[in-house]
Protein backbone atom coordinates (compact mmCIF):
# COMPACT_ATOMS: atom_id res chain seq x y z
CA UNK A 1 0.00 0.00 0.00
CA UNK A 2 1.32 3.48 -0.84
CA UNK A 3 2.17 5.64 2.14
CA UNK A 4 0.64 9.05 2.64
CA UNK A 5 3.61 11.00 1.23
CA UNK A 6 3.56 9.03 -2.02
CA UNK A 7 -0.17 9.55 -2.33
CA UNK A 8 0.27 13.30 -1.87
CA UNK A 9 3.06 13.44 -4.45
CA UNK A 10 1.04 11.44 -6.99
CA UNK A 11 -2.02 13.60 -6.35
CA UNK A 12 -0.07 16.84 -6.86
CA UNK A 13 1.67 15.57 -9.98
CA UNK A 14 -1.65 14.34 -11.34
CA UNK A 15 -3.29 17.71 -10.77
CA UNK A 16 -0.35 19.53 -12.37
CA UNK A 17 -0.50 17.25 -15.42
CA UNK A 18 -4.25 17.71 -15.77
CA UNK A 19 -3.95 21.49 -15.52
CA UNK A 20 -1.05 21.54 -17.98
CA UNK A 21 -3.12 19.56 -20.50
CA UNK A 22 -6.02 21.94 -19.98
CA UNK A 23 -3.76 24.96 -20.62
CA UNK A 24 -2.36 23.31 -23.76
CA UNK A 25 -5.88 22.61 -24.97
CA UNK A 26 -6.95 26.22 -24.42
CA UNK A 27 -3.87 27.52 -26.22
CA UNK A 28 -4.43 25.23 -29.21
CA UNK A 29 -7.96 26.58 -29.56
CA UNK A 30 -6.60 30.11 -29.66
CA UNK A 31 -9.08 31.30 -27.03
CA UNK A 32 -7.23 30.36 -23.85
CA UNK A 33 -5.62 33.03 -21.65
CA UNK A 34 -4.31 31.00 -18.74
CA UNK A 35 -0.63 31.63 -17.81
CA UNK A 36 1.96 28.89 -18.16
CA UNK A 37 2.43 26.69 -15.13
CA UNK A 38 5.64 27.01 -13.10
CA UNK A 39 6.76 24.34 -10.65
CA UNK A 40 7.59 25.94 -7.30
CA UNK A 41 9.69 23.90 -4.86
CA UNK A 42 8.33 23.64 -1.32
CA UNK A 43 10.75 25.03 1.30
CA UNK A 44 11.40 23.37 4.63
CA UNK A 45 12.56 25.72 7.40
CA UNK A 46 13.27 24.19 10.79
CA UNK A 47 14.90 25.18 14.06
CA UNK A 48 18.37 23.74 14.61
CA UNK A 49 18.89 21.67 17.72
CA UNK A 50 20.25 23.39 20.82
CA UNK A 51 19.47 26.86 19.51
CA UNK A 52 17.31 29.58 21.06
CA UNK A 53 13.67 29.48 19.98
CA UNK A 54 12.61 32.57 21.96
CA UNK A 55 14.16 36.00 22.27
CA UNK A 56 14.38 36.59 26.02
CA UNK A 57 17.47 38.77 26.41
CA UNK A 58 18.02 40.21 22.89
CA UNK A 59 21.74 40.74 23.45
CA UNK A 60 22.13 37.06 24.39
CA UNK A 61 19.87 35.60 21.70
CA UNK A 62 21.55 32.94 19.54
CA UNK A 63 19.22 31.38 16.99
CA UNK A 64 19.95 28.91 14.23
CA UNK A 65 17.71 27.40 11.58
CA UNK A 66 18.01 25.17 8.54
CA UNK A 67 16.76 26.04 5.05
CA UNK A 68 15.97 22.93 3.03
CA UNK A 69 13.51 21.56 0.48
CA UNK A 70 10.55 19.40 1.49
CA UNK A 71 10.69 17.23 -1.63
CA UNK A 72 14.38 16.36 -1.87
CA UNK A 73 14.20 14.97 -5.42
CA UNK A 74 11.92 17.61 -6.89
CA UNK A 75 13.09 20.41 -9.17
CA UNK A 76 15.41 22.81 -7.34
CA UNK A 77 14.82 26.56 -7.12
CA UNK A 78 17.14 28.89 -8.96
CA UNK A 79 17.74 30.52 -5.57
CA UNK A 80 16.13 31.32 -2.23
CA UNK A 81 16.29 34.60 -0.34
CA UNK A 82 15.74 34.08 3.40
CA UNK A 83 13.46 36.91 4.51
CA UNK A 84 12.21 38.22 7.83
CA UNK A 85 9.01 40.04 8.82
CA UNK A 86 8.37 41.98 12.03
CA UNK A 87 5.03 41.91 13.83
CA UNK A 88 3.11 40.78 10.75
CA UNK A 89 4.06 43.84 8.65
CA UNK A 90 4.31 41.98 5.36
CA UNK A 91 4.68 45.21 3.39
CA UNK A 92 8.07 45.74 5.06
CA UNK A 93 9.71 42.33 4.68
CA UNK A 94 13.52 42.39 4.77
CA UNK A 95 16.14 40.05 3.32
CA UNK A 96 18.12 38.27 6.01
CA UNK A 97 20.32 36.14 3.72
CA UNK A 98 20.23 36.38 -0.06
CA UNK A 99 20.91 33.87 -2.83
CA UNK A 100 20.85 30.54 -0.98
CA UNK A 101 21.50 27.83 -3.56
CA UNK A 102 22.63 24.82 -1.49
CA UNK A 103 20.20 22.67 0.50
CA UNK A 104 20.26 22.21 3.38
CA UNK A 105 21.87 25.49 4.47
CA UNK A 106 22.23 26.48 8.13
CA UNK A 107 21.64 30.14 8.96
CA UNK A 108 22.68 31.82 12.21
CA UNK A 109 20.56 34.65 13.55
CA UNK A 110 21.03 37.03 16.47
CA UNK A 111 19.55 40.33 17.60
CA UNK A 112 22.26 42.33 15.82
CA UNK A 113 21.33 40.76 12.45
CA UNK A 114 17.66 41.43 13.09
CA UNK A 115 18.33 45.04 14.09
CA UNK A 116 20.51 45.62 11.02
CA UNK A 117 17.84 44.20 8.71
CA UNK A 118 15.20 46.60 10.03
CA UNK A 119 17.47 49.59 10.62
CA UNK A 120 16.82 49.65 14.37
CA UNK A 121 18.84 49.21 17.55
CA UNK A 122 18.99 45.97 19.51
CA UNK A 123 17.41 47.88 22.42
CA UNK A 124 14.35 48.51 20.20
CA UNK A 125 13.54 44.77 20.23
CA UNK A 126 11.05 44.50 23.09
CA UNK A 127 8.66 41.92 24.59
CA UNK A 128 5.55 41.54 22.47
CA UNK A 129 7.47 41.79 19.20
CA UNK A 130 7.75 38.73 16.98
CA UNK A 131 9.80 37.92 13.91
CA UNK A 132 8.87 35.44 11.16
CA UNK A 133 11.39 33.76 8.88
CA UNK A 134 10.38 32.57 5.41
CA UNK A 135 11.74 31.82 1.94
CA UNK A 136 11.32 33.96 -1.17
CA UNK A 137 11.74 31.42 -3.97
CA UNK A 138 12.99 32.23 -7.44
CA UNK A 139 12.09 29.36 -9.76
CA UNK A 140 14.26 28.04 -12.57
CA UNK A 141 12.26 30.10 -15.09
CA UNK A 142 12.74 33.29 -13.05
CA UNK A 143 9.35 33.59 -11.35
CA UNK A 144 9.20 34.80 -7.71
CA UNK A 145 7.14 33.10 -4.99
CA UNK A 146 7.04 35.33 -1.92
CA UNK A 147 7.10 33.95 1.62
CA UNK A 148 4.72 36.64 2.89
CA UNK A 149 2.60 37.93 -0.01
CA UNK A 150 0.29 40.85 0.72
CA UNK A 151 -2.58 38.96 -0.92
CA UNK A 152 -3.17 35.23 -0.50
CA UNK A 153 -0.67 32.62 0.62
CA UNK A 154 2.57 31.31 -0.81
CA UNK A 155 1.18 27.77 -1.05
CA UNK A 156 -2.15 26.03 -0.71
CA UNK A 157 -3.19 25.26 2.86
CA UNK A 158 -2.83 21.50 2.29
CA UNK A 159 0.94 21.84 1.88
CA UNK A 160 1.30 23.22 5.41
CA UNK A 161 -0.42 20.04 6.62
CA UNK A 162 2.00 17.63 4.95
CA UNK A 163 3.77 15.44 7.55
CA UNK A 164 6.85 17.32 8.78
CA UNK A 165 6.11 20.37 6.64
CA UNK A 166 7.31 23.75 7.95
CA UNK A 167 7.13 26.74 5.62
CA UNK A 168 8.33 29.33 8.14
CA UNK A 169 9.40 29.80 11.74
CA UNK A 170 8.63 32.42 14.36
CA UNK A 171 10.77 34.04 17.04
CA UNK A 172 8.63 35.73 19.73
CA UNK A 173 10.23 38.29 22.05
CA UNK A 174 9.38 37.50 25.67
CA UNK A 175 10.39 38.74 29.09
CA UNK A 176 13.48 37.05 30.54
CA UNK A 177 12.53 34.06 32.69
CA UNK A 178 13.48 34.29 36.36
CA UNK A 179 12.41 31.09 38.10
CA UNK A 180 12.69 32.73 41.51
CA UNK A 181 9.94 35.17 40.50
CA UNK A 182 7.54 32.23 40.58
CA UNK A 183 8.27 31.34 44.21
CA UNK A 184 5.89 32.46 46.94
CA UNK A 185 2.18 32.88 47.49
CA UNK A 186 0.03 32.57 44.38
CA UNK A 187 -3.62 32.09 43.43
CA UNK A 188 -5.03 29.34 41.25
CA UNK A 189 -8.00 30.27 39.06
CA UNK A 190 -9.71 27.01 38.16
CA UNK A 191 -13.20 27.82 36.84
CA UNK A 192 -13.89 24.54 35.05
CA UNK A 193 -12.62 21.61 37.10
CA UNK A 194 -12.50 22.78 40.73
CA UNK A 195 -14.80 25.75 40.00
CA UNK A 196 -12.96 28.04 42.41
CA UNK A 197 -10.05 30.41 42.95
CA UNK A 198 -7.85 29.59 45.92
CA UNK A 199 -4.39 30.29 47.38
CA UNK A 200 -1.37 28.02 46.88
CA UNK A 201 2.30 28.15 47.82
CA UNK A 202 4.93 27.68 45.11
CA UNK A 203 8.46 26.56 45.95
CA UNK A 204 11.43 25.79 43.78
CA UNK A 205 13.12 22.39 43.56
CA UNK A 206 16.37 22.23 41.62
CA UNK A 207 16.93 24.30 38.50
CA UNK A 208 13.65 23.88 36.60
CA UNK A 209 11.05 22.30 38.90
CA UNK A 210 8.31 24.11 40.83
CA UNK A 211 6.22 22.52 43.60
CA UNK A 212 2.64 23.76 44.02
CA UNK A 213 1.31 23.08 47.52
CA UNK A 214 -2.35 23.43 48.48
CA UNK A 215 -3.65 22.02 45.21
CA UNK A 216 -7.45 21.57 44.96
CA UNK A 217 -7.69 23.42 48.31
CA UNK A 218 -6.07 20.51 50.14
CA UNK A 219 -3.15 21.70 52.31
CA UNK A 220 -1.40 18.34 51.82
CA UNK A 221 -1.91 18.09 48.05
CA UNK A 222 1.09 18.89 45.86
CA UNK A 223 1.95 18.77 42.17
CA UNK A 224 5.36 19.19 40.56
CA UNK A 225 5.77 21.01 37.26
CA UNK A 226 8.91 21.14 35.12
CA UNK A 227 9.76 24.28 33.14
CA UNK A 228 11.86 24.26 29.96
CA UNK A 229 13.67 27.61 30.25
CA UNK A 230 14.56 27.61 26.55
CA UNK A 231 10.94 27.41 25.36
CA UNK A 232 9.02 28.41 28.57
CA UNK A 233 6.89 25.30 28.01
CA UNK A 234 5.84 23.22 31.02
CA UNK A 235 5.47 19.48 31.41
CA UNK A 236 3.53 17.81 34.20
CA UNK A 237 4.28 14.09 34.43
CA UNK A 238 1.47 11.97 35.81
CA UNK A 239 1.53 12.08 39.60
CA UNK A 240 -0.73 11.40 42.56
CA UNK A 241 -1.64 14.60 44.37
CA UNK A 242 -4.12 13.05 46.85
CA UNK A 243 -4.44 9.35 47.84
CA UNK A 244 -8.08 10.01 48.75
CA UNK A 245 -9.93 12.42 46.46
CA UNK A 246 -13.66 13.28 46.53
CA UNK A 247 -14.65 9.75 47.38
CA UNK A 248 -12.20 8.08 44.99
CA UNK A 249 -8.66 6.79 45.30
CA UNK A 250 -5.36 8.15 43.99
CA UNK A 251 -6.31 11.49 42.53
CA UNK A 252 -3.76 12.14 39.79
CA UNK A 253 -2.89 14.89 37.32
CA UNK A 254 -0.81 15.05 34.15
CA UNK A 255 -0.50 17.57 31.36
CA UNK A 256 1.35 20.54 29.95
CA UNK A 257 1.41 24.30 30.02
CA UNK A 258 3.38 27.50 29.61
CA UNK A 259 4.97 30.11 31.84
CA UNK A 260 4.57 33.82 31.07
CA UNK A 261 7.45 35.80 32.52
CA UNK A 262 5.91 39.14 31.53
CA UNK A 263 2.63 38.55 33.35
CA UNK A 264 4.06 36.30 36.11
CA UNK A 265 1.48 33.64 35.30
CA UNK A 266 1.47 29.91 34.66
CA UNK A 267 -1.19 28.26 32.53
CA UNK A 268 -1.75 24.51 32.75
CA UNK A 269 -3.94 22.00 30.94
CA UNK A 270 -4.33 18.98 33.21
CA UNK A 271 -5.99 15.62 32.80
CA UNK A 272 -7.43 14.40 36.09
CA UNK A 273 -7.79 10.70 36.83
CA UNK A 274 -8.49 8.38 39.74
CA UNK A 275 -8.26 4.62 40.00
CA UNK A 276 -11.90 4.46 39.03
CA UNK A 277 -11.60 6.51 35.81
CA UNK A 278 -11.00 9.96 34.31
CA UNK A 279 -12.59 13.36 34.91
CA UNK A 280 -11.24 14.78 31.63
CA UNK A 281 -8.89 17.67 30.78
CA UNK A 282 -9.27 21.21 32.10
CA UNK A 283 -7.30 24.46 32.09
CA UNK A 284 -6.22 26.61 35.04
CA UNK A 285 -4.10 29.70 35.64
CA UNK A 286 -1.67 30.36 38.48
CA UNK A 287 -1.14 34.07 39.14
CA UNK A 288 0.66 36.25 41.64
Amino acid sequence: MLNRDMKNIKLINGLLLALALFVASCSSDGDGNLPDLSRVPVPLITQAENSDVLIQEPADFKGKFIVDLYFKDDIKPKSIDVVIAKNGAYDKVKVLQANVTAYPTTVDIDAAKIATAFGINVSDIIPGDYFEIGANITTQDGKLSQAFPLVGNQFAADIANFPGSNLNIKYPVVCPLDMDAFVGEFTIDDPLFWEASYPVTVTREGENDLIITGFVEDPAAKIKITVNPQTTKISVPKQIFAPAFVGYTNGSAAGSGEINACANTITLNLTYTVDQGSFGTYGLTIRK
Side-chain angles (χ1 to χ4, degrees):
M1 181 178 291
L2 292 173
N3 60 32
R4 186 178 300 176
D5 288 351
M6 289 300 298
K7 287 182 178 178
N8 285 330
I9 293 170
K10 283 183 174 291
L11 175 60
I12 292 169
N13 288 339
L15 290 173
L16 287 174
L17 177 60
L19 188 53
L21 291 173
F22 177 72
V23 171
S25 174
C26 289
S27 299
S28 65
D29 291 341
D31 298 324
N33 57 3
L34 290 174
D36 292 335
L37 286 174
S38 178
R39 292 184 66 177
V40 180
V42 178
L44 178 64
I45 305 178
T46 55
Q47 301 276 6
E49 291 185 4
N50 302 318
S51 64
D52 291 340
V53 298
L54 300 174
I55 304 175
Q56 299 190 51
E57 291 280 9
D60 298 331
F61 169 64
K62 301 294 182 185
K64 183 179 293 186
F65 57 90
I66 300 166
V67 180
D68 202 353
L69 302 176
Y70 184 82
F71 296 111
K72 311 299 183 188
D73 298 325
D74 197 8
I75 187 171
K76 301 294 188 289
K78 184 175 182 180
S79 66
I80 284 178
D81 288 345
V82 180
V83 295
I84 183 169
K86 179 184 178 184
N87 297 339
Y90 300 141
D91 59 334
K92 299 176 181 177
V93 174
K94 307 298 182 182
V95 175
L96 192 66
Q97 183 163 321
N99 200 35
V100 175
T101 57
Y103 313 101
T105 288
T106 299
V107 179
D108 293 312
I109 182 172
D110 57 23
K113 284 186 177 181
I114 294 173
T116 298
F118 288 98
I120 60 177
N121 298 316
V122 170
S123 59
D124 296 325
I125 299 173
I126 59 175
D129 287 340
Y130 63 92
F131 299 92
E132 295 169 279
I133 306 292
N136 277 5
I137 301 170
T138 300
T139 63
Q140 291 291 342
D141 56 1
K143 292 184 172 62
L144 176 65
S145 173
Q146 294 180 311
F148 306 111
L150 291 177
V151 179
N153 298 306
Q154 186 179 29
F155 293 99
D158 285 348
I159 291 180
N161 295 323
F162 284 1
S165 174
N166 209 60
L167 298 175
N168 49 63
I169 57 176
K170 184 176 180 179
Y171 288 105
V173 185
V174 300
C175 293
L177 176 61
D178 178 4
M179 291 288 289
D180 288 332
F182 290 87
V183 172
E185 303 303 316
F186 284 74
T187 297
I188 286 185
D189 293 324
D190 185 354
L192 299 177
F193 177 67
W194 201 243
E195 298 182 348
S197 295
Y198 57 90
V200 291
T201 301
V202 181
T203 55
R204 187 173 177 181
E205 183 178 278
E207 287 293 319
N208 301 319
D209 292 336
L210 296 173
I211 308 297
I212 301 165
T213 303
F215 194 57
V216 293
E217 294 188 279
D218 180 348
K222 300 180 180 181
I223 61 169
K224 177 191 286 189
I225 66 175
T226 299
V227 181
N228 182 330
Q230 187 181 41
T231 64
T232 68
K233 300 297 184 182
I234 292 172
S235 60
V236 186
K238 186 174 181 178
Q239 56 199 276
I240 296 172
F241 59 79
F245 180 61
V246 294
Y248 300 100
T249 55
N250 291 328
S252 301
S256 60
E258 190 165 6
I259 195 165
N260 186 327
C262 293
N264 264 22
T265 59
I266 297 170
T267 55
L268 298 176
N269 285 301
L270 299 176
T271 299
Y272 299 88
T273 58
V274 290
D275 289 342
Q276 293 77 15
S278 173
F279 293 103
T281 302
Y282 301 88
L284 62 81
T285 301
I286 304 173
R287 57 179 173 84
K288 195 72 173 180

